[in-house]
Amino acid sequence: YIRDFSQSYMSEQHETSSKPPFKNATVLILGAGTGVEAQTAALLGAKKVVATDINQFTLRLLDYGAKRMVESYQNVFGKSMSGVVEAHYFDIFSETPLPESDIIIAADVLYNPELAAQVGRRIYEAISKNDTIPKLIVTDSQKFHGTDFLVGVKELKELSSLLRERGLEELQWEMRQLSQVRGSGVLVDEDQTYDVDVRMICWGWDIQ
């Protein structure tokens, strides 16, 4: 359900922008899971979605879901989306550079301090080392101790100085609330509907 939140934000940005940001964009998704954001980006008009994960079984599920989406889209709209979503194995701890992209999405993947810090380093890489500055969406509902990479990653302190020099907004968390989330706990009779506070970084959407 938290992934539904990032999906909703993606749609919101697309609908409220004078120039729809996903149309003809290349979108990179870190920790794509079974592909909620990947399918959303494709439906919003992305020309290419590179959906990455470290779990091979998850990638097979993602690929299957993407193919089913293509079939459904073809049947409803009579247009092909074949090949838009690509499922790729990618380890963010490796030395492999990030694939180039216009938009980077990392939805609820900050499971521990080490992983969160590496996501932060990859963000630094994407913004500081590429000619084209990507837009970012990072969401985090769990807020585990030690996962605030804006505080703990030294490269992002350097990035803050770089952004100030360029006259660009610095990265910062903002809080959003996801209302009426329904939990999926087993052996629980009580109502599991509740509100969730989500912290997120939405950066670069005003950069033309």
Side-chain angles (χ1 to χ4, degrees), residues 57-187:
F57 178 69
T58 297
L59 288 171
R60 289 197 294 271
L61 291 176
L62 190 157
D63 188 57
Y64 173 79
K67 289 176 179 176
R68 291 295 301 273
M69 177 199 67
V70 167
E71 293 173 1
S72 300
Y73 190 87
Q74 177 77 36
N75 292 336
V76 173
F77 297 103
K79 299 178 182 178
S80 176
M81 293 179 62
S82 179
V84 174
V85 177
E86 301 176 1
H88 288 275
Y89 176 91
F90 184 78
D91 182 356
I92 68 168
F93 286 95
S94 71
E95 297 297 322
T96 305
L98 284 177
E100 290 191 11
S101 61
D102 304 302
I103 299 171
I104 297 176
I105 298 171
D108 237 41
V109 296
L110 309 182
Y111 301 124
N112 58 60
E114 293 75 22
L115 180 56
Q118 190 63 14
V119 169
R121 294 185 189 102
R122 289 296 193 167
I123 289 173
Y124 169 79
E125 172 191 340
I127 295 176
S128 66
K129 299 183 179 181
N130 291 325
D131 294 333
T132 301
I133 299 177
K135 299 172 173 58
L136 301 177
I137 298 177
V138 181
T139 61
D140 180 33
S141 66
Q142 300 165 106
K143 301 185 286 293
F144 291 132
H145 177 73
T147 57
D148 183 356
F149 55 75
L150 294 184
V151 174
V153 177
K154 67 176 183 179
E155 290 89 343
L156 291 181
K157 295 179 181 178
E158 298 174 11
L159 181 60
S160 292
S161 298
L162 178 63
L163 293 176
R164 285 195 297 269
E165 291 174 5
R166 294 180 179 179
L168 298 174
E169 180 184 4
E170 295 181 46
L171 301 181
Q172 60 182 345
W173 294 107
E174 59 180 285
M175 297 301 299
R176 299 284 188 97
Q177 187 173 82
L178 182 60
S179 300
Q180 299 297 298
V181 173
R182 184 175 295 278
S184 58
V186 297
L187 302 178

Side-chain angles (χ1 to χ4, degrees), residues 1 4 177-183 191-196:
Y1 293 98
D4 290 343
Q177 187 173 82
L178 182 60
S179 300
Q180 299 297 298
V181 173
R182 184 175 295 278
D191 180 23
Q192 296 184 69
T193 303
Y194 47 88
D195 297 337
V196 177

